[in-house]
Amino acid sequence: LAVTTATAVPTSGKIDKPHIVMILADDYGWANFGSHTSDHSPEAAQHQKEVHTPNLDALVKAGVLLERHYAYKICSPSRSSLQSGRLAVHVNVENVSPIVFNASDPVSGFAGIPRNMTGIASKMKEAGYATSMTGKWDAGMATPEHTPQGRGYDQWLGYFSHANNYWTKGVDLHSTGELDICLNSFTDLSLQNSTYRGGMLDPTALDSSCKNSTDADPECYEEFQFKKHTLDVLDRHDPAIPLFHFHSFHLIHSPLDIPLAYLDKIDKAVAPAKFDDTDRRRYAAMVYYMDETVGVIIEKLKSKKMWNNTLVVFMADNGGATYKPGSANNFPLKGGKYSDWEGGVRTNAAIGGGWVPESVRGTTYTGVVSIADWYGMFCDIAGVDRTDTVAASANPWLKAHDLPTLHPVENLTGLWGAITAGKNENLRSVLHLSENAVLQYPWKLVTGSQVYSTWTGELYPNCSSGLDKPWFVDSKFLGSNLNTTNNLTEQRIVNQIQDCGKGCLFNVEEDPTEHIDLAANPAHAKKLVELQSLLLSLNNDLFHPYRGKMYSALPCQVSFHNGGFMGPFLNVDSYYTGPFRPQPKHQGNVSQAICNWLAKPLINQMLVKKATVVYPKITPRIQKAIDPCPASSHPSQLPLQPYTSLGAVTKDLIGTQYGKNVVP
């Protein structure tokens, strides 16, 4: 039940297919994109200065802006959708930790994409492409088949998790918002190529001492390493061979870490105005860095004389994170990441490059496009069949063992032709956004409880909102969610929850900001019932396998033996090549003893139960630690605030059960 190895690429000859460079931004706010700003007021004019995206703006101006591009509302499902060619509801709807697994389901009992689904990079290899990737994966890790190389990428530098630390490359609480049974003690930065598979051993990449450097572009910053890797790939590539490269930014996902030089750059871009909120300033500086990197990649393609035969696809994995400390802005759209509102699922997207027909350059395509549709479009461009025979062949076995069967790749055709012909026709009549939402353009039905149900201003976040900014809704302890308060009324307030019950109805063409709920309007009663029935029917086909719990210490044990790096932990006998970073034996023995203890179901459940009581009590301490608006200081003078409170309480929580002296 393993993913098959694709055919090799040719080594010579003139190519008749475009190079494809796919660029993915993480948690990128709708209003943090230059094409979605304006200068109609003093506040809007400052906002326009804060959004410094000249390279992305140029890409749009010479390409096609995709104004109705939709993704899933959170990271891992969107990335699983992009790589597998299925809607998230047919591949993965959970942001679970990469170390969970369900041993009773060898195909889908893991985080991310089921083992037997063929990745888009494998399809491109079949079509004769060289394939490579840089950056965030977040689509599975448990087995070698789950990794980028297992999905068809010849080489990759990046990390597996939802997030890591931009400086240390660890998966600390500051970065992930959760504590796992490995106590977040490992490094998440890996390298895969033809001769090496394992943790990244370059000391410069692992060094964090440049965090306070004033250098123009410190080399130990993770995004510098990603940029360097992509440029190295392009430098070494033979332009006579078609290239499929995926640059997957960590930016602009939290933690809001950015070199000091870029804070200075964004301050100069905004001057004489100033930021009143440190998080908005950091986010804007990170957008600046991302845009600059896009520009460097484009210049490299031009210097290699690849640009005229290159298609660049830029998109975001979901709407911006408006909660503390995400600090994105989706103005004027409603909501943000984790919600089914337009601000959570409608994303920035555009295509550019010399391969885009001149007749459509500088235009906007308004038809609905799903992040899942790129798989089929790339297959069409490359001239390869999109059918996933590996997944189809696994289904008889899955059915015989009463396990969830695998969905086929989305079969929407003609979309690429419509985009490049300048036809603003909507070919996707129905888009199943989530278990709680469906789009039948222009009609949209949203059901159930929706978090972050509000609108922001053009300068958001700001210190006039202070600590009223919503709190992160996905904090986890040993794999279980924690609420900031056990009072349901307070929960609705701190997470800005709106309950749509059986349905809120919108016409998003006439009302793109979702201000006018038409569900109670008698004139639209028939449409409401129609969409409610449609969503109910679509949900009968929801793919929701049991992915497991953190009831095994195996991921921790393998990571320790792998030099302290996260990575595959099942079927890895011949995976890791070495050499391995040495680990202190005593530290390893202690850490493994704690992990073994935390993985015991009864201990795990007991601690989770206690955490649900403790966490609401310490939430105010965490909020204070990351307050971006202390009254005593101007934000431009404030250092980055460490997220220490949850870590301190975690020590207390585990220490009372196991002994404080052994907790890291």
Side-chain angles (χ1 to χ4, degrees):
L1 294 173
V3 176
T4 57
T5 302
T7 56
V9 300
T11 57
S12 62
K14 186 177 180 179
I15 62 172
D16 57 359
K17 301 167 184 177
H19 305 294
I20 298 175
V21 176
M22 180 168 62
I23 302 175
L24 186 66
D26 200 347
D27 289 5
Y28 191 20
W30 181 265
N32 302 114
F33 185 42
S35 295
H36 295 146
T37 63
S38 66
D39 59 358
H40 63 269
S41 68
E43 187 176 71
Q46 177 170 340
H47 173 240
Q48 192 174 56
K49 284 186 176 182
E50 292 181 8
V51 179
H52 189 82
T53 57
N55 294 294
L56 287 171
D57 297 345
L59 184 74
V60 170
K61 187 175 181 179
V64 180
L65 180 65
L66 305 177
E67 274 293 79
R68 286 281 171 190
H69 187 274
Y70 286 87
Y72 196 72
K73 54 191 168 185
I74 49 178
C75 299
S76 184
S78 283
R79 292 162 187 273
S80 299
S81 179
L82 177 63
Q83 296 293 330
S84 71
R86 282 85 168 172
L87 297 178
V89 290
H90 294 156
V91 57
N92 174 29
V93 294
E94 298 181 83
N95 251 4
V96 299
S97 168
I99 68 173
V100 304
F101 70 99
N102 167 23
S104 65
D105 186 346
V107 174
S108 306
F110 316 93
I113 305 169
R115 288 171 73 183
N116 290 69
M117 287 186 178
T118 303
I120 182 57
S122 291
K123 286 292 185 181
M124 300 308 285
K125 283 168 70 73
E126 290 178 22
Y129 277 74
T131 60
S132 54
M133 178 184 167
T134 304
K136 176 175 175 175
W137 179 237
D138 199 15
M141 182 190 80
T143 72
E145 293 95 335
H146 283 96
T147 70
Q149 199 171 62
R151 300 296 182 191
Y153 291 99
D154 294 324
Q155 53 186 312
W156 169 65
L157 169 68
Y159 62 98
F160 289 107
S161 302
H162 308 316
N164 67 355
N165 188 295
Y166 287 85
W167 303 109
T168 68
K169 289 74 178 182
V171 287
D172 49 46
L173 286 164
H174 173 83
S175 307
T176 65
E178 65 177 296
L179 182 86
D180 61 31
I181 60 169
C182 304
L183 298 178
N184 298 43
S185 55
F186 297 119
T187 303
D188 192 1
L189 186 66
S190 291
L191 180 68
Q192 293 180 321
N193 55 42
S194 60
T195 60
Y196 178 80
R197 293 182 299 276
M200 178 61 167
L201 299 179
D202 181 352
T204 302
L206 299 177
D207 185 14
S208 61
S209 62
C210 74
K211 178 178 180 179
N212 296 316
S213 170
T214 57
D215 290 350
D217 196 2
E219 292 187 16
C220 79
Y221 186 54
E222 183 167 60
E223 288 292 353
F224 176 91
Q225 293 296 320
F226 290 167
K227 175 171 56 180
K228 179 175 179 288
H229 182 259
T230 288
L231 295 180
D232 286 347
V233 167
L234 295 176
D235 265 332
R236 296 192 309 268
H237 184 70
D238 179 358
I241 301 171
L243 173 68
F244 180 75
H245 181 74
F246 178 31
H247 189 96
S248 179
F249 282 106
H250 185 173
L251 296 165
I252 307 97
H253 194 293
S254 58
L256 302 184
D257 294 333
I258 186 71
L260 296 176
Y262 281 83
L263 291 173
D264 290 339
K265 285 186 176 183
I266 197 63
D267 284 346
K268 290 176 181 177
V270 172
K274 294 182 179 181
F275 291 91
D276 69 335
D277 184 289
T278 57
D279 286 345
R280 190 173 89 242
R281 177 175 177 246
R282 294 172 201 161
Y283 191 98
M286 294 168 85
V287 170
Y288 195 124
Y289 193 107
M290 180 184 72
D291 179 82
E292 200 173 79
T293 299
V294 171
V296 170
I297 292 172
I298 290 173
E299 285 305 309
K300 177 60 68 174
L301 289 165
K302 291 179 178 178
S303 70
K304 287 279 292 186
K305 301 192 184 309
M306 295 168 64
W307 179 252
N308 289 340
N309 198 41
T310 294
L311 168 66
V312 174
V313 177
F314 175 84
M315 71 189 94
D317 62 345
N318 44 249
T322 57
Y323 48 77
K324 183 194 302 290
S327 301
N329 186 0
N330 299 312
F331 177 86
L333 304 181
K334 182 178 183 178
K337 182 180 179 181
Y338 284 97
S339 79
D340 288 308
W341 304 119
E342 293 288 276
V345 297
R346 186 177 171 190
T347 73
N348 299 315
I351 63 169
W355 200 69
V356 174
E358 290 187 21
S359 59
V360 295
R361 293 179 189 176
T363 66
T364 297
Y365 180 72
T366 58
V368 173
V369 180
S370 166
I371 196 169
D373 293 331
W374 292 106
Y375 188 109
M377 284 192 279
F378 291 153
C379 286
D380 291 346
I381 292 168
V384 65
D385 186 0
R386 71 178 71 182
T387 305
D388 190 346
T389 56
V390 177
S393 65
N395 282 337
W397 185 91
L398 290 167
K399 190 172 182 179
H401 288 78
D402 199 27
L403 292 170
T405 55
L406 306 181
H407 287 261
V409 172
E410 287 292 299
N411 62 2
L412 180 65
T413 59
L415 186 54
W416 181 247
I419 294 172
T420 55
K423 297 179 181 178
N424 266 316
E425 55 184 337
N426 183 40
L427 299 182
R428 181 173 274 286
S429 58
V430 173
L431 179 57
H432 191 185
L433 293 168
S434 78
E435 185 178 7
N436 295 107
V438 62
L439 178 67
Q440 187 188 63
Y441 192 78
W443 298 99
K444 181 180 176 184
L445 179 74
V446 179
T447 68
S449 293
Q450 297 287 334
V451 295
Y452 311 129
S453 299
T454 192
W455 299 266
T456 66
E458 290 175 284
L459 293 180
Y460 177 89
N462 56 72
C463 288
S464 65
S465 56
L467 293 179
D468 292 329
K469 287 190 282 290
W471 188 240
F472 183 47
V473 76
D474 202 20
S475 298
K476 292 177 181 174
F477 181 78
L478 306 185
S480 295
N481 282 86
L482 299 177
N483 291 325
T484 54
T485 172
N486 292 322
N487 181 296
L488 293 180
T489 300
E490 291 178 0
Q491 190 73 39
R492 292 175 64 85
I493 295 172
V494 298
N495 293 133
Q496 298 175 333
I497 294 174
Q498 176 182 343
D499 189 1
C500 278
K502 293 183 178 180
C504 296
L505 180 67
F506 302 92
N507 183 320
V508 292
E509 183 174 43
E510 297 178 357
D511 178 28
T513 60
E514 296 170 302
H515 274 88
I516 306 170
D517 180 7
L518 301 171
N521 188 326
H524 303 294
K526 184 177 179 180
K527 178 58 68 175
L528 176 64
V529 172
E530 177 189 343
L531 290 187
Q532 288 172 331
S533 299
L534 175 61
L535 181 59
L536 185 63
S537 175
L538 291 172
N539 283 342
N540 289 331
D541 211 23
L542 193 70
F543 183 74
H544 204 343
Y546 175 58
R547 298 178 185 271
K549 294 278 190 181
M550 289 188 188
Y551 290 165
S552 172
L554 181 62
C556 313
Q557 295 164 359
V558 173
S559 291
F560 179 79
H561 292 296
N562 180 33
F565 289 95
M566 295 185 69
F569 52 88
L570 295 170
N571 304 334
V572 294
D573 289 346
S574 60
Y575 174 75
Y576 293 106
T577 60
F580 300 103
R581 182 174 62 174
Q583 295 288 288
K585 185 175 181 180
H586 172 70
Q587 177 184 335
N589 290 338
V590 171
S591 296
Q592 289 188 60
I594 297 174
C595 295
N596 290 335
W597 180 72
L598 292 174
K600 295 179 180 180
L602 289 179
I603 297 296
N604 188 296
Q605 293 164 17
M606 176 191 67
L607 289 173
V608 167
K609 186 176 181 179
K610 185 169 183 178
T612 60
V613 176
V614 173
Y615 185 62
K617 296 179 180 179
I618 58 95
T619 296
R621 291 168 56 187
I622 303 173
Q623 291 178 328
K624 185 177 180 180
I626 60 174
D627 177 12
C629 303
S632 60
S633 301
H634 185 276
S636 64
Q637 305 302 318
L638 294 174
L640 302 187
Q641 298 288 338
Y643 292 34
T644 55
S645 297
L646 183 55
V649 172
T650 300
K651 285 186 181 182
D652 294 342
L653 182 64
I654 298 178
T656 57
Q657 304 293 330
Y658 199 84
K660 294 182 181 180
N661 61 317
V662 298
V663 178

